[in-house]
Amino acid sequence: MSSPTDHVQSKEFPENYGDLRLVSSDGVVFSFHRMFLSHVSPVFKDMLEIGTGQELRLTEDSTALDQLLHLLDPAKNPRPIDINTIEGLLGAAEKYQIERVFEYWENQMTARDTTMKFIGIQQPMASFFLAGHFGRNEFASLALREVLRAPDTELDLPTLRRFTVDHKVITQLTRLRQERSRKLIDHIYNHQKTIFIPTDCCTRQALLMMGANTIPLVLQLIKEPSWNSFERNIDIWPGCPVYNSGHHKGSRVTFESWKKEILEEEMALPETAQYF
């Protein structure tokens, strides 16, 4: 704990900005309104009712307090969400029972289109582990659904080093993604078999060629095991049922049945209790 001589006044919350001094663990003093703190936090309310002084010494560092107070002060704009410091902010919100911080974070991590329709969860892997750690079960389920279908570039595994993560869970999630990929790839190869029946050298060679033509699509599905990836990359598969609908009876029906089956699995909200 810092001594009074080590204290530095926050520039954003200078002396006399409020009627209460909040001192961070690293010696930064924030002047804030006790009325706001009492209104948004039952914990702060109890602390301020018990104590009559003008100063509270807190265990949070200055970064977490600065982010917290920017969220609570209606005269200031919230700080952007930072993956490097968000755990400290959410930890403070949990400790002081400030629900609006969690609501703000979840809202910022939720991607929507121009009509405000839900698209997905940003930083899905980090969001999943943070939501699970802090008991935000519904948001954890939304994030996990995204983890299982998102491009591998969005999983951002290096950031997980900042959190306490069970690597067995990472392995399990990787396995689930691989299972999703295999289901999509099986549809492709099973469809190829219905197009060519290798009864002689020529058709065997044609089947091998058709298999080779699916490799670019297969690689994309390994990186992103989702129907969205399948449709986005479908033009690199010459044997796609849509393109062959004029030559192979029922191909369009086959394609739509795949879509229905895969999307039903993708959109289902997975259970998260087993991971935490």
Side-chain angles (χ1 to χ4, degrees), residues 9-276:
Q9 188 70 43
S10 166
K11 294 181 180 179
E12 289 289 322
F13 300 93
E15 190 173 357
N16 297 322
Y17 182 81
D19 56 355
L20 178 68
R21 285 163 51 91
L22 301 173
V23 185
S24 69
S25 61
D26 51 350
V28 178
V29 179
F30 298 82
S31 180
F32 202 66
H33 316 282
R34 64 172 59 223
M35 179 187 68
F36 286 170
L37 290 178
S38 296
H39 178 69
V40 300
S41 165
V43 176
F44 272 125
K45 182 179 180 181
D46 289 344
M47 292 169 68
L48 293 171
E49 287 179 349
I50 294 172
T52 57
Q54 301 300 308
E55 181 176 292
L56 287 179
R57 291 174 175 267
L58 307 177
T59 58
E60 288 70 36
D61 64 24
S62 56
T63 299
L65 275 182
D66 179 77
Q67 292 176 326
L68 179 64
L69 298 181
H70 271 83
L71 264 169
L72 302 182
D73 192 336
K76 295 187 180 295
N77 293 321
R79 297 289 197 194
I81 295 295
D82 185 346
I83 193 65
N84 297 306
T85 59
I86 185 60
E87 190 171 18
L89 174 61
L90 296 180
E94 180 182 53
K95 176 181 176 180
Y96 299 114
Q97 299 178 26
I98 307 176
E99 176 65 18
R100 70 165 63 177
V101 174
F102 285 104
E103 292 174 353
Y104 175 77
W105 169 64
E106 292 176 4
N107 183 62
Q108 291 297 300
M109 290 297 98
T110 302
R112 301 183 184 278
D113 62 18
T114 54
T115 65
M116 298 305 293
K117 181 181 178 181
F118 177 86
I119 298 176
I121 303 297
Q122 302 178 67
Q123 300 176 337
M125 189 72 89
S127 294
F128 168 63
F129 280 105
L130 284 169
H133 177 72
F134 289 105
R136 311 294 293 186
N137 297 332
E138 184 177 346
F139 192 70
S141 187
L142 287 170
L144 177 55
R145 182 173 67 180
E146 202 65 28
V147 165
L148 297 179
R149 66 180 182 179
D152 55 8
T153 54
E154 291 184 13
L155 300 184
D156 201 14
L157 294 179
T159 64
L160 298 182
R161 296 171 186 169
R162 300 180 177 89
F163 312 131
T164 302
V165 174
D166 186 345
H167 290 284
K168 292 181 181 178
V169 175
I170 298 291
T171 301
Q172 189 171 0
L173 296 181
T174 301
R175 179 179 57 78
L176 290 174
R177 284 175 59 87
Q178 291 171 344
E179 289 177 0
R180 290 280 181 90
S181 295
R182 277 197 297 270
K183 287 180 181 179
L184 286 159
I185 294 167
D186 283 347
H187 280 307
I188 296 171
Y189 287 145
N190 289 336
H191 183 70
Q192 299 288 65
K193 293 175 184 178
T194 66
I195 298 175
F196 289 103
I197 301 176
T199 56
D200 55 44
C201 179
C202 293
T203 52
R204 288 193 185 95
Q205 189 174 24
L207 183 57
L208 289 172
M209 185 176 297
M210 287 291 287
N213 287 336
T214 66
I215 291 176
L217 177 58
V218 167
L219 292 176
Q220 291 300 319
L221 294 176
I222 291 173
K223 295 177 181 178
E224 182 184 349
S226 70
W227 182 257
N228 183 50
S229 174
F230 188 95
E231 283 198 311
R232 195 172 61 249
N233 295 288
I234 207 169
D235 59 333
I236 62 178
W237 177 27
C240 171
V242 173
Y243 295 149
N244 286 291
S245 59
H247 304 285
H248 304 286
K249 185 177 180 181
S251 290
R252 184 72 202 190
V253 174
T254 298
F255 184 81
E256 291 300 328
S257 69
W258 294 357
K259 181 176 181 178
K260 182 176 183 296
E261 174 192 335
I262 294 165
L263 285 180
E264 281 181 357
E265 182 176 20
E266 276 188 27
M267 297 308 296
L269 286 175
E271 294 291 332
T272 62
Q274 60 184 307
Y275 302 108
F276 302 104

